[in-house]
Amino acid sequence: MAIDVATVRKVARLARIAEPEDRLETLAKELSGIMNWIEQLSEVDTDGVEPMTSAVHMPAPMRDDVVTEGGDPEVVLSNSPKRAGNFFVVPKVVE
Amino acid sequence: MSDLTKLTLKAALDGLAAKSFSSVEITQAHVAAVAAARALNAYVLETPEQAIAMAEASDARRASGNAGVLDGAPLGIKDLFCTKGVRSTAGSKIIGEFIPTYESTITANLWRDGAVMLGKLNMDEFAMGSSNETSAWGPVVNPWRSKGGNAQLTPGGSSGGSASAVAAELCLGATATDTGGSIRQPASFTGTVGIKPTYGRCSRWGVVAFASSLDQAGPMARTVEDAAILLTSMAGHDPKDSTSLPVETPDFASFVGKSVKGLRIGVPKEYRVDNMPPEIDALWEQGIAWLKEAGCEIVEVSLPHTKYALPAYYIVAPAEASSNLARYDGMRYGLRVDGANLTDTYEKSRAAGFGDEVKRRILIGTYVLSAGYYDAYYLKALKVRRRIADDFDQAFQKVDALLTPTAPSAAFSLGDRSDDPVAMYLNDIFTVTVNLAGLPGMSVPAGLDANGLPLGLQLIGRALDEGTLFSLGGALEKAADFRAKPQKWW
């Protein structure tokens, strides 16, 4: 299945990656090439097959819902691109 | 002291125990070797002061009779592992200055046992690549060269730095990770041993995530025994990883050297792919003959869905990656490029921080998960994944392990395949099935091709049966008697 420029633009937006207009054509070709190769999966009969969602045969373990670590803002903020006091500074979220 | 870098990990540990040399001495020898080998670009960060400090602490522990099983042994750490206070970049600009405030469980296990860190090893960006060319820090160069040639070859990927450093004697062993073949293919390309253990054997906590249902860490080393020693230290249940298996870790080294007589070895006919170089086919036949001589029974088996493993992987892995890499938004850590508003800041930060291959995979993952395509692609791939796992289940009712080639070629020149994504993906044709099924797989160096480049054979085992792989790997290693080393040119 061919992926066109409009689809690449839409998917790049969904993925929050700015792709310049002049890259879209190349990306459309590359992604179409990959998806065409993937198309061969349609040959496999998967009627009644359970999707495999995990590589381990065990139920997800549960633990008590309690704080294990925390209370150290310096550790949490040490890699922040921008901070003010004990807060992350981010662009305005609500207009 | 430079001879100390030529030791196997086992010999080095024996020498340290016998006090033939100190950890400071063997660490200094490695620090010097690393500094002299920058042409290989294997290390993205050298930590000599920390290495010497850790070595001094090790010598003090040994003097007081408290040495651990890896005490004093200098190792390299793939840059995908978070190391507390030491820059960890996953080969990406987007976390190019990230200094973790915590230690990955696997590296913590190695330090618990006394190992010494020499530095952080180069890798494909977020472990997405088979040639190390997607690294933000430039490609790693393979210490091996074709006979009479001086072209720069890839060490494979994504654990190219680990492979190159182990092969060039820039560490006694290294950590690595494998999502589709990223331990085994580089091991094959560099004449080293690498094992991807059973999914869940090694904790993923503190290992930068690529595709969480496939990612698994393991060691790279120069001998099967060394790999066994390292894996024994790295593995173990970790409550901080919800997919970590609550099982005991055996002493894997105790399996090396055990007789393999009577084991049934499957040879999957579907791995005889078109265009396979005759040398690789011949090496595979040789491997079969070696195991027969060691007393194994060879059985032809069928894994009928093998050819669909790579296309299924290229849906599952990008889908998981697109979700995992959504966290790199430039807000709490990592690169931020300011834009006109929040969305613009996200888009600009991610555009500037991610390389081309990572972007391609995020776009594919986003596409196959998007409304209208989820069932046709993602769900379909998960069903094909089940069929692939079922193929292995059936085969393992008849055999104890499988023998295959590790990779469809020897190391190729840097730049050779970088313009064709699908051609690059085909590197993992023999390794990726194992990740999809969650099984252990090991690559053992078995011979050289006509150009004098190493080739590996792969052993695949039942879930949690790494022990049998170490016995078989030891038998192959003994029969192959692989002693070739890259000629030093760097």
Side-chain angles (χ1 to χ4, degrees):
Chain A
M1 123 140 232
I3 296 179
D4 58 18
V5 164
T7 306
V8 177
R9 196 182 289 120
K10 182 181 150 215
V11 171
R13 175 37 79 105
L14 287 172
R16 297 289 184 264
I17 297 174
E19 288 290 1
E21 278 296 313
D22 62 5
R23 279 270 302 153
L24 297 181
E25 188 73 50
T26 312
L27 274 169
K29 263 191 210 137
E30 283 175 357
L31 299 187
S32 296
I34 296 167
M35 292 312 295
N36 284 337
W37 169 70
I38 286 174
E39 248 351 278
Q40 56 180 302
L41 289 181
S42 60
E43 296 164 16
V44 186
D45 177 8
T46 52
D47 283 354
V49 176
E50 263 308 288
M52 182 169 166
T53 51
S54 168
V56 289
H57 305 285
M58 64 173 192
M62 306 295 272
R63 67 163 174 84
D64 292 337
D65 187 13
V66 292
V67 175
T68 51
E69 275 184 274
D72 193 343
E74 278 312 311
V75 168
V76 174
L77 286 157
S78 67
N79 281 286
S80 62
K82 225 177 199 176
R83 67 180 282 186
N86 282 348
F87 297 95
F88 293 104
V89 176
V90 301
K92 192 154 73 172
V93 178
V94 182
E95 292 298 329
Chain B
M1 278 298 159
S2 71
D3 279 346
L4 292 179
T5 62
K6 297 192 185 313
L7 296 174
T8 63
L9 171 65
K10 176 70 167 79
L13 291 170
D14 289 347
L16 286 162
K19 302 212 164 72
S20 309
F21 46 84
S22 67
S23 175
V24 168
E25 285 171 317
I26 194 167
T27 299
Q28 269 168 346
H30 280 90
V31 165
V34 169
R38 296 201 179 117
L40 297 175
N41 202 24
Y43 281 83
V44 290
L45 183 71
E46 298 170 22
T47 54
E49 290 90 6
Q50 185 164 347
I52 299 297
M54 290 174 92
E56 284 169 351
S58 167
D59 286 335
R61 276 192 302 272
R62 197 172 289 282
S64 64
N66 296 316
V69 290
L70 289 174
D71 229 298
L75 305 177
I77 302 299
K78 186 177 182 179
D79 211 22
L80 203 62
F81 293 81
C82 286
T83 40
K84 189 174 180 178
V86 177
R87 194 189 71 176
S88 305
T89 74
S92 182
K93 274 195 291 189
I94 207 156
I95 45 170
E97 294 164 31
F98 182 65
I99 312 240
T101 55
Y102 49 87
E103 189 76 32
S104 82
T105 297
I106 285 187
T107 47
N109 290 348
L110 293 171
W111 314 147
R112 171 203 66 204
D113 289 343
V116 168
M117 178 168 80
L118 291 164
K120 303 300 290 287
L121 294 162
N122 204 348
M123 54 178 287
D124 279 297
E125 184 177 7
F126 287 109
M128 297 181 196
S130 303
S131 66
N132 226 283
E133 291 166 293
T134 74
S135 168
W137 312 113
V140 178
V141 182
N142 194 329
W144 291 84
R145 284 178 162 179
S146 289
K147 225 186 283 167
N150 59 5
Q152 296 206 322
L153 305 180
T154 174
S158 67
S159 309
S162 307
S164 187
V166 170
E169 297 170 342
L170 309 181
C171 56
L172 293 174
T175 65
T177 62
D178 190 315
T179 303
S182 284
I183 290 176
R184 292 158 287 155
Q185 180 253 22
S188 181
F189 280 15
T190 56
T192 56
V193 177
I195 177 165
K196 181 204 91 73
T198 308
Y199 183 85
R201 182 67 98 175
C202 284
S203 170
R204 291 181 294 108
W205 196 82
V207 183
V208 176
F210 161 15
S212 303
S213 80
L214 303 160
D215 296 342
Q216 188 59 199
M220 297 189 74
R222 290 196 287 271
T223 69
V224 173
E225 184 180 31
D226 287 359
I229 293 169
L230 287 169
L231 183 59
T232 305
S233 177
M234 291 163 70
H237 177 241
D238 178 13
K240 288 190 282 195
D241 171 1
S242 63
T243 59
S244 167
L245 294 168
V247 294
E248 288 296 308
T249 303
D251 174 11
F252 290 119
S254 71
F255 290 89
V256 183
K258 263 195 188 165
S259 168
V260 296
K261 205 165 169 194
L263 288 178
R264 294 165 66 93
I265 305 301
V267 174
K269 59 182 182 196
E270 289 81 7
Y271 279 54
R272 291 190 195 284
V273 294
D274 297 341
N275 306 326
M276 186 147 85
E279 285 171 304
I280 290 181
D281 209 21
L283 185 75
W284 192 9
E285 289 302 325
Q286 178 66 69
I288 292 168
W290 282 330
L291 290 183
K292 253 190 210 162
E293 281 162 34
C296 296
E297 187 188 336
I298 305 298
V299 182
E300 182 166 287
V301 295
S302 174
L303 301 169
H305 296 91
T306 297
K307 71 175 273 213
Y308 302 108
L310 263 182
Y313 174 87
Y314 275 96
I315 289 180
V316 174
E320 294 187 22
S322 73
S323 168
N324 271 327
L325 273 59
R327 72 189 67 177
Y328 303 107
D329 58 5
M331 296 298 123
R332 291 149 301 148
Y333 56 90
L335 181 74
R336 182 189 296 184
V337 178
D338 288 316
N341 52 46
L342 181 65
T343 301
D344 197 38
T345 302
Y346 287 150
E347 291 185 343
K348 284 202 164 93
S349 300
R350 290 162 64 79
F354 291 136
D356 286 347
E357 180 62 20
V358 171
K359 285 180 193 167
R360 254 196 300 272
R361 296 205 198 182
I362 291 175
L363 293 177
I364 292 213
T366 307
Y367 177 72
V368 299
L369 291 175
S370 63
Y373 297 105
Y374 183 91
D375 286 2
Y377 290 118
Y378 185 63
L379 212 55
K380 180 79 181 181
L382 293 184
K383 291 176 178 177
V384 174
R385 183 176 182 183
R386 169 82 59 194
R387 302 224 87 169
I388 289 161
D390 288 347
D391 284 355
F392 279 110
D393 279 349
Q394 303 224 330
F396 282 124
Q397 296 189 358
K398 288 189 281 186
V399 299
D400 300 300
L402 302 167
L403 179 72
T404 77
T406 306
S409 75
F412 48 89
S413 295
L414 288 168
D416 249 15
R417 296 181 196 176
S418 45
D419 55 351
D420 182 352
V422 174
M424 189 64 89
Y425 299 167
L426 292 173
N427 266 291
D428 291 337
I429 188 163
F430 299 139
T431 48
V432 75
T433 51
V434 169
N435 300 80
L436 288 168
L439 303 174
M442 174 192 280
S443 180
V444 181
L448 299 176
D449 73 0
N451 294 317
L453 296 176
L455 297 169
L457 288 173
Q458 176 178 233
L459 292 157
I460 301 170
R462 292 191 182 98
L464 293 175
D465 194 18
E466 289 87 353
T468 297
L469 293 191
F470 280 116
S471 298
L472 287 165
L476 276 183
E477 182 179 56
K478 194 170 162 208
D481 196 24
F482 184 90
R483 287 162 193 270
K485 300 256 179 207
Q487 291 285 322
K488 193 167 186 298
W489 54 263
W490 57 90

